[in-house]
Amino acid sequence: MPALLRQLRGLGGCGHPIRLDGHRTEIHPATGQILSELHATDLPAGHLLVRCNNRRTTRCPACAETYRRDTYQLITTGLRGGKGTPEHVATHPRVFATFTAPSFGPVHNRPTGPGKTVRPCRCGTRHPDDAAELGTPINPDTYDYEAAVLWNAHAGALWRRFSIYLRREIAKRAGLTQRAFRHHARISFAKVAEYQKRGAVHFHAVIRLDGPTGSDAPPPAWATVDLLTDAIQAATAKTTVHGPTLDGRPHTFTLGKQLDIRPIRSADLDGGTALTERAVAAYIAKYATKGAETATGTLDRPLKFLAELAQLDVSDHARRLIRTAWTLGARRDLEHLRLRAWAHMLGFRGHFSTKTRHYSTTLGALRTARAEWRRLQTESPAPAPATTLVLSHWTFAGTGLTPGEEWLSASLSPDRQPTHEPPAHHEAEGDAQA
């Protein structure tokens, strides 16, 4: 029992680990001596258990929390330095921008007037903050579900086009050509995608102006927050992606008219027009672990058959969006959008968290540092050779924990409650003794 508890504790609270069968052998390259052996069948759980590393809170809260904290560190280091990013990056012009989707039809909302007083919705009702109808169409029969799904499918292309136009607009304001711009400045950004209640994706992004080599070079004298803000506004207005023509109807996609750009300087996120580095990083990291299921009430995993939708507890609005994506996915002229594979995400198939290479550190670097730290905590005092021959073979054996393992794993964390009763009285006693 103590050995099983140690193995489960090593998962860090992951409730849906990957189970592997196989073995691992470390051999001294010069002498052929076997330094260590690991067989899955000898482990207390009978398998090697590996964290699932799912970023969704609805799938695995523990792994999602690790992903959120890593995203927080990634954003923070790009704002005030650290982990390989110089501290003077905090003096570079940077803004926090939110890009929305256009309207596909009126929806229930909570418009605010002077003094942040809530005004009645178009339907004539003053909705409470937790009203279930918020974000749903006022008239579902006239809501443009087709355009909404296709906009999500082209959101990634819109962002790529925006980044191209942004470089052009900044170069124009600096009096530079596109070719010359790269020798004077560089645009760095980090962004996450978030679903609005109506099911449309929008982007939160930290956009920064650096010198020509990135964060380690100071920006030119002409690089200011005002210039960056003006360029973002112009680039947003010009960003257009031509979509497919369906049944004689051409689709053209643009970013929404609601654009919020705020300088990152000081003060709290909810006060004034300036933001702190910490508030921005926390705000972005919060959405890195959420998907359409959190805001829209849809699914957190793909559908295999549309018939499954009838048995699932989703909102009527989300159901229509999923059905629209599934129907459009059957068209051969749209097969490149893979709408059926991403119907549960309402057509959006892009990465939820992306950044430019020179913005800051990477998630991979953070994970490598964490793995190295864990290795040092368990490393034996005996010196190991600088190079060893490792022979290993692992095969997938399943996912998740047995009811007994799940109960024991939950008992290790005070914030997790067991979802199963102890399978046997003697296992509960063993846990108490451990």
Side-chain angles (χ1 to χ4, degrees):
M1 185 66 67
L4 178 58
L5 286 169
R6 283 194 298 271
Q7 186 178 4
L8 294 175
R9 188 177 288 110
L11 294 173
C14 176
H16 300 279
I18 301 169
R19 308 182 77 96
L20 300 175
D21 273 330
H23 63 86
R24 181 182 189 275
T25 305
E26 252 185 271
I27 304 174
H28 194 290
T31 64
Q33 177 187 1
I34 296 178
L35 301 175
S36 65
E37 281 188 286
L38 175 66
H39 293 270
T41 54
D42 295 335
L43 294 172
H47 295 100
L48 178 67
L49 303 182
V50 182
R51 289 176 62 118
C52 68
N53 288 326
N54 198 302
R55 71 167 188 87
R56 298 175 185 272
T57 304
T58 56
R59 297 290 294 275
C60 183
C63 290
E65 177 62 14
T66 300
Y67 187 91
R68 185 193 67 80
R69 294 184 181 189
D70 283 352
T71 302
Y72 175 85
Q73 294 295 331
L74 185 147
I75 300 297
T76 301
T77 54
L79 291 173
R80 58 186 181 189
K83 302 185 187 303
T85 304
E87 293 183 0
H88 65 71
V89 75
T91 63
H92 295 196
R94 64 267 177 90
V95 298
F96 178 60
T98 299
F99 304 84
T100 61
S103 174
F104 306 108
V107 298
H108 294 280
N109 60 3
R110 302 179 74 243
T112 56
K116 294 186 177 181
T117 57
V118 179
R119 296 186 287 112
C121 175
R122 289 187 183 185
C123 67
T125 304
R126 187 177 279 104
H127 298 292
D129 187 45
D130 57 349
E133 61 270 21
L134 289 177
T136 62
I138 294 177
N139 186 353
D141 293 333
T142 61
Y143 192 79
D144 198 345
Y145 282 95
E146 180 179 278
V149 169
L150 290 175
W151 192 94
N152 281 344
H154 289 81
L158 276 168
W159 178 263
R160 288 191 295 272
R161 187 67 56 85
F162 162 78
S163 65
I164 294 172
Y165 281 130
L166 180 58
R167 291 176 176 86
R168 293 178 181 175
E169 293 299 325
I170 293 177
K172 182 193 300 183
R173 282 154 180 75
L176 300 170
T177 64
Q178 289 292 301
R179 186 181 299 273
F181 174 73
R182 69 184 67 177
H183 301 297
H184 291 80
R186 181 187 293 271
I187 299 172
S188 298
F189 67 80
K191 73 168 178 68
V192 293
E194 180 203 358
Y195 280 87
Q196 297 172 305
K197 287 183 178 295
R198 57 182 171 140
V201 168
H202 66 177
F203 298 114
H204 299 294
V206 173
I207 304 176
R208 193 184 69 211
L209 266 176
D210 298 329
T213 59
S215 60
D216 58 341
W222 51 259
T224 64
V225 170
D226 291 338
L227 181 144
L228 179 58
T229 300
D230 187 54
I232 292 173
Q233 292 172 341
T236 302
K238 293 181 179 180
T239 299
T240 302
V241 170
H242 296 288
T245 298
L246 303 181
D247 303 324
R249 177 192 177 188
H251 285 277
T252 301
F253 306 106
T254 62
L255 293 169
K257 294 181 179 179
Q258 292 184 339
L259 173 66
D260 183 44
I261 307 173
R262 300 171 66 182
I264 303 174
R265 293 172 183 153
S266 60
D268 187 74
L269 181 64
D270 297 324
T273 59
L275 310 178
T276 63
E277 296 95 341
R278 180 174 296 181
V280 170
Y283 190 77
I284 290 180
K286 177 177 66 173
Y287 291 107
T289 60
K290 298 180 179 180
E293 70 281 357
T294 305
T296 315
T298 180
L299 310 175
D300 61 359
R301 63 192 70 201
L303 284 171
K304 292 184 178 179
F305 306 99
L306 187 60
E308 300 176 46
L309 194 58
Q311 310 298 325
L312 300 174
D313 183 19
V314 298
S315 66
D316 292 338
H317 179 53
R319 195 183 304 273
R320 290 193 65 168
L321 286 168
I322 294 171
R323 286 186 178 276
T324 301
W326 194 271
T327 302
L328 292 174
R331 299 179 62 114
R332 297 195 63 179
D333 53 343
L334 298 180
E335 61 182 0
H336 63 286
L337 299 179
R338 302 183 62 220
L339 290 173
R340 287 196 168 183
W342 296 97
H344 66 297
M345 299 309 294
L346 314 182
F348 179 70
R349 65 187 191 283
H351 292 288
F352 276 86
S353 176
T354 59
K355 74 173 193 67
T356 55
R357 181 181 303 175
H358 296 275
Y359 175 79
S360 68
T361 186
T362 65
L363 292 175
L366 295 174
R367 292 165 183 157
T368 300
R370 183 164 52 247
E372 179 65 15
W373 183 86
R374 288 174 177 167
R375 186 188 67 80
L376 292 174
Q377 305 308 304
T378 58
E379 192 176 53
S380 61
T387 304
T388 57
L389 175 63
V390 178
L391 302 177
S392 62
H393 176 73
W394 299 103
T395 58
F396 177 77
T399 60
L401 300 170
T402 66
E405 291 168 351
E406 184 178 348
W407 184 83
L408 286 172
S409 179
S411 69
L412 295 173
S413 303
D415 56 337
R416 293 184 60 201
Q417 296 298 322
T419 56
H420 298 275
E421 290 297 323
H425 181 65
H426 67 273
E427 287 196 30
E429 289 179 348
D431 178 55
Q433 293 175 2

